């Protein structure tokens, strides 16, 4: 006996009455279900808009779903309005979970569909749920669990940094001890002491917990700038015990890193900073350029402040061109610049070297010496041209950023941020967009391109895009996340950093010609754009 307002079964069927999937919410035999499904196609009226059919025992409530029917079989005493509403929710669930409502797709998603049906009808009775609630239950995502995972990762990262700092401190202590032993001439006993055979091990209190680079210097300079040491006797094993505790807490995975896998008893070789290393860090992932006999380096630096509601608050662009000639036969040349693709107007001002001729108004831009009989210096880099732009024209912005916080009524905020490359002359590398977060809140990212991570020191989310170019899919991208807090101003200022290949001002070399008129086919140009400040306020 079926109670009132209780749907006995729900099924997806086709015109031949072959059930694709079926779910019984009350006890019914399989033979009974198959007989009802077999009789259903014969009962469907033609040329009518009704979606219900009744027999002497049951009522069929159905809805076409492309080539299939989604069918709800109930008793005749049930509430037909409730049955129709339940059937519509079943149909919406199927359409939401399947790309197409064909038999193969439904069979592939059959387990998920039946699970969703059980969330709508439980023990034969309709639950007061909607499609969003059913979808949330099926996803089984826990906001609290994600927060705990983020906190655990942050603690692990902090512990690793502490271990590295302790290891650096131990290495500096050993180096200082070796330096003192070498300067005192050494000793014949094990402890290296003088008359007593005992020498306290100095303890170094490092002012900088994370020294980035160790450099060598002369002994006199080292003695003059030696840090303060406290001779408090032998502290055998004390530092090592703390280090061991950190290693145990991290599970030993930090020791797999190359920086800490070497023997700690052997003092490392101090690294000497070189111009090549600093140049590499400045250009980041921008590809290197092989320098030819005529090599030009174009460097630009941008300072930009965008308004969150649109427009430019301030923009300053500085650039210079350096010329390096290594072949004396190519010292008598003139450099032709291509016409700029972006019109900066009179706001873009050029300044030439005193020996370089100025640009002629209304003519092609040419970099050449005032005296054609003279030659450019060979083997020496010369700054031949400088330029500067200061304005608020939004069309000159290389990368537009749109950050849109949308506070909700439940105390959370959905933040959508997107970028788009606006200048085809530049290709960006190592792009990092940092969005500050409200205090004590952690984000749940729902959609993103590129990669993202949390920065515990500034409590911000760092969105990283390795490369952005005009002709690639990375020309634009977006990041969407939810976070606790309803203050839209807490997500500003947005900070952007990158290095770029190309010239934002459009200073590109088109040709190199000797003063005699012969064309130089082989030359190289290295164009680099760096960021001094790039904010959305």
């Amino acid at each position: 006996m079926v109670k009132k307002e209780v749907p006995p079964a729900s099924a997806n069927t086709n015109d031949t009455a072959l059930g694709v999937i079926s779910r019984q919410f009350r006890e019914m035999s399989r033979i009974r279900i198959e007989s009802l499904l077999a009789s259903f196609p014969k009962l469907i009226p033609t040329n009518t808009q009704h979606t219900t059919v009744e027999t002497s025992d049951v009522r069929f409530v159905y809805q076409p779903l492309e080539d299939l029917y989604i069918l709800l079989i109930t008793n005749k005493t049930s509430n037909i309005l409730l049955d129709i509403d339940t059937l519509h929710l079943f149909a919406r669930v199927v359409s939401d979970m399947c790309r197409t409502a064909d038999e193969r797709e439904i069979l592939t998603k059959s387990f998920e569909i039946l699970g969703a049906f059980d969330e709508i009808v439980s023990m034969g009775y309709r639950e007061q749920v909607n499609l969003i609630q059913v979808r949330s239950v099926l996803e089984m995502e826990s906001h609290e669990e994600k927060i705990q995972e983020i906190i655990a990762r942050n603690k692990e990262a902090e512990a690793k940094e502490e271990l590295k700092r302790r290891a650096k401190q131990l290495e500096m202590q050993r180096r200082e001890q070796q330096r003192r032993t070498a300067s005192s001439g050494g000793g014949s006993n094990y402890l290296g002491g003088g008359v007593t055979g005992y020498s306290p091990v100095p303890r170094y209190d490092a002012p900088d917990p994370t020294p980035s680079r160790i450099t060598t210097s002369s002994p006199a300079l080292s003695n003059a700038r030696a840090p303060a040491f406290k001779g408090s006797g032998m502290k055998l094993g004390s530092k090592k015990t703390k280090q061991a505790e950190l290693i145990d807490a991290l599970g030993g995975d930090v020791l797999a890193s190359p920086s800490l896998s070497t023997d700690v008893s052997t003092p490392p070789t101090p690294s000497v900073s070189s111009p090549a290393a600093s140049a590499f860090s400045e250009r980041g992932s921008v590809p290197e350029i092989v320098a030819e006999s005529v090599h030009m380096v174009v460097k630009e630096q941008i300072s930009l402040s965008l308004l969150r509601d649109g427009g430019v608050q301030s923009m300053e662009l500085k650039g210079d061109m350096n010329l390096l000639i290594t072949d004396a036969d190519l010292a008598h040349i003139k450099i032709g610049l291509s016409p700029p693709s972006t019109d900066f107007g009179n706001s873009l001002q050029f300044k030439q070297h005193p020996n370089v001729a100025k640009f002629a108004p209304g003519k092609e831009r040419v970099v050449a010496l005032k005296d054609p009989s003279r030659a450019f210096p060979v083997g020496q880099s010369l700054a031949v041209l400088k330029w500067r732009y200061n304005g608020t024209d939004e069309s000159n912005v290389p990368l537009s950023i749109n950050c849109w916080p949308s506070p909700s009524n439940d105390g959370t905020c959905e933040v959508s941020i997107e970028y788009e490359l606006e200048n085809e002359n530049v290709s960006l590398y190592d792009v990092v967009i940092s969005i500050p977060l409200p205090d004590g809140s952690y984000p749940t990212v729902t959609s993103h391109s590129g990669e993202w991570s949390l920065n515990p020191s500034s409590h911000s989310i760092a969105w990283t895009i390795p490369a952005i170019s005009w002709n690639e899919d990375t020309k634009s991208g977006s990041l969407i996340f939810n976070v606790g807090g309803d203050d839209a101003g807490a997500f500003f200022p947005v900070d952007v950093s990158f290095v770029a290949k190309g010239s934002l001002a459009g200073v590109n070399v088109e040709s190199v010609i000797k003063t005699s008129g012969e064309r130089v086919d082989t030359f190289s140009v290295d164009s680099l754009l760096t960021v001094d400040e790039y904010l959305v306020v």
Side-chain angles (χ1 to χ4, degrees):
M1 190 73 180
V2 179
K3 294 183 180 180
K4 186 179 181 181
E5 298 184 2
V6 177
S10 174
N12 277 7
T13 64
N14 55 19
D15 293 336
T16 59
L18 295 177
V20 180
I21 59 172
S22 176
R23 186 64 165 172
Q24 290 78 245
F25 301 108
R26 302 296 286 179
E27 283 295 332
M28 297 180 68
S29 65
R30 179 173 179 177
I31 297 176
R32 174 63 173 162
I33 292 292
E34 290 178 349
S35 64
L36 290 174
L37 292 179
S39 62
F40 168 68
K42 304 174 183 177
L43 301 174
I44 299 176
T46 58
N47 299 327
T48 180
Q49 295 182 352
H50 295 290
T51 57
T52 61
V53 178
E54 292 186 1
T55 64
S56 58
D57 298 325
V58 296
R59 176 189 295 133
F60 296 92
V61 185
Y62 63 93
Q63 177 179 335
L65 202 63
E66 295 186 8
D67 296 335
L68 303 173
Y69 286 108
I70 182 166
L71 173 65
L72 186 66
I73 305 175
T74 68
N75 58 354
K76 295 177 63 176
T77 58
S78 65
N79 188 334
I80 188 171
L81 297 179
L82 184 62
D83 295 341
I84 293 174
D85 182 67
T86 304
L87 180 68
H88 288 170
L89 184 55
F90 280 143
R92 292 177 62 193
V93 166
V94 173
S95 301
D96 183 70
M97 301 182 68
C98 300
R99 293 190 298 265
T100 58
D102 58 5
E103 182 176 347
R104 179 179 301 178
E105 182 72 15
I106 290 177
L107 289 176
T108 303
K109 300 284 186 178
S110 59
F111 182 79
E112 291 82 358
I113 293 174
L114 293 178
F117 285 178
D118 288 342
E119 297 297 332
I120 299 172
V121 178
S122 176
M123 301 296 294
Y125 292 92
R126 165 70 188 275
E127 297 287 345
Q128 296 300 322
V129 293
N130 53 32
L131 178 61
I132 297 178
Q133 292 173 329
V134 172
R135 187 188 301 163
S136 176
V137 171
L138 294 179
E139 289 176 354
M140 293 185 295
E141 290 189 356
S142 172
H143 182 67
E144 290 77 9
E145 181 182 359
K146 289 186 176 181
I147 291 177
Q148 293 301 323
E149 291 177 353
I150 293 173
I151 293 175
R153 287 198 298 268
N154 291 342
K155 288 183 177 180
E156 182 178 353
E158 291 174 359
K160 290 182 179 180
E161 291 296 327
E162 177 68 14
L163 176 58
K164 293 179 181 179
R165 186 185 70 82
R166 294 288 181 86
K168 290 271 189 181
Q169 187 174 346
L170 289 174
E171 292 169 3
M172 296 179 71
Q173 289 181 32
R174 292 189 182 92
R175 273 201 305 277
E176 181 63 22
Q177 177 65 15
Q178 282 193 346
R179 187 187 63 79
R180 290 194 170 191
T181 302
S183 61
S184 62
S188 59
N189 50 27
Y190 172 73
L191 293 176
V195 178
T196 61
Y198 173 80
S199 175
V201 177
R203 186 177 67 222
Y204 173 63
D205 296 330
D208 186 3
T210 55
S212 59
R213 187 171 59 237
I214 302 171
T215 58
T216 58
S217 59
S218 62
L221 185 60
S222 298
N223 293 333
R225 298 184 180 179
F229 289 87
K230 297 180 180 179
S232 58
M234 295 294 290
K235 298 286 185 179
L236 298 179
S238 61
K239 294 291 183 180
K240 187 173 182 180
T241 302
K242 295 179 181 179
Q243 184 181 10
E245 292 175 356
L246 287 171
I247 295 175
D248 293 338
L250 294 175
D253 55 341
V254 179
L255 293 180
S257 61
S259 60
L260 298 177
S261 60
T262 56
D263 187 4
V264 294
S265 63
T266 304
T269 303
S271 60
V272 181
S273 61
S274 62
S278 60
F280 176 79
S281 61
E282 180 184 11
R283 68 185 302 115
S285 301
V286 177
E288 294 284 347
I289 301 296
V290 179
E292 301 291 346
S293 300
V294 179
H295 182 63
M296 287 144 287
V297 178
V298 177
K299 289 186 178 181
E300 291 180 337
Q301 188 176 62
I302 185 173
S303 297
L304 178 64
S305 181
L306 298 172
L307 297 174
R308 67 184 72 175
D309 297 326
V312 178
Q313 186 180 56
S314 62
M315 177 178 177
E316 183 181 30
L317 178 68
K318 296 180 181 179
D320 59 76
M321 174 187 285
N322 288 267
L323 174 63
L324 177 61
I325 299 176
T326 57
D327 188 353
D329 294 337
L330 301 175
H332 295 80
I333 59 173
K334 53 183 180 179
I335 303 169
L337 304 182
S338 59
S341 58
T342 304
D343 185 15
F344 286 87
N346 296 328
S347 300
L348 182 62
Q349 300 177 353
F350 289 93
K351 186 176 181 180
Q352 286 82 1
H353 187 277
N355 296 331
V356 175
K358 294 184 178 181
F359 295 153
K363 296 184 179 180
E364 294 183 357
R365 299 181 298 177
V366 178
V367 178
L369 293 175
K370 294 179 180 178
D371 186 0
S373 62
R374 298 184 60 182
F376 284 105
V378 178
Q380 177 184 352
S381 180
L382 178 65
V384 295
L385 182 64
K386 293 184 178 181
W387 57 93
R388 181 176 180 269
Y389 168 79
N390 198 333
T392 58
D393 190 353
E394 194 171 5
S395 63
N396 298 326
V397 174
L399 184 70
S400 61
I401 304 293
N402 183 16
C403 184
W404 197 280
S406 300
S408 304
N409 296 328
D410 57 355
T412 62
C413 188
E414 183 184 67
V415 181
S416 300
I417 183 167
E418 60 182 1
Y419 72 85
E420 184 171 2
L421 185 63
E422 303 289 351
N423 194 306
E424 61 181 356
N425 294 328
V426 295
S427 297
L428 311 186
Y429 296 86
D430 304 331
V431 182
V432 179
I433 303 175
S434 299
I435 307 102
L437 300 173
D439 294 337
S441 299
Y442 295 91
T444 300
V445 177
T446 58
S447 174
H448 67 93
S449 53
E451 301 293 335
W452 69 274
S453 61
L454 286 179
N455 188 347
S457 60
S458 61
H459 193 61
S460 61
I461 181 171
W463 182 21
T464 305
I465 305 97
I468 300 176
S469 58
W470 184 263
N471 296 322
E472 299 293 337
D473 296 337
T474 57
K475 178 185 175 182
S476 60
S478 62
L479 172 72
I480 302 175
F481 63 90
N482 294 286
V483 67
D486 54 2
D487 182 13
F491 304 98
F492 297 93
V494 177
D495 184 70
V496 184
S497 64
F498 59 82
V499 289
K501 177 184 178 182
S503 171
L504 186 61
V507 180
N508 301 312
V509 178
E510 186 177 38
S511 62
V512 176
I513 303 175
K514 293 183 178 181
T515 54
S516 60
E518 183 181 353
R519 189 181 186 91
V520 179
D521 296 328
T522 304
F523 60 89
S524 57
V525 181
D526 188 7
S527 299
L528 190 67
L529 171 65
T530 58
V531 172
D532 179 45
E533 185 181 62
Y534 206 110
L535 300 175
V536 181
V537 297

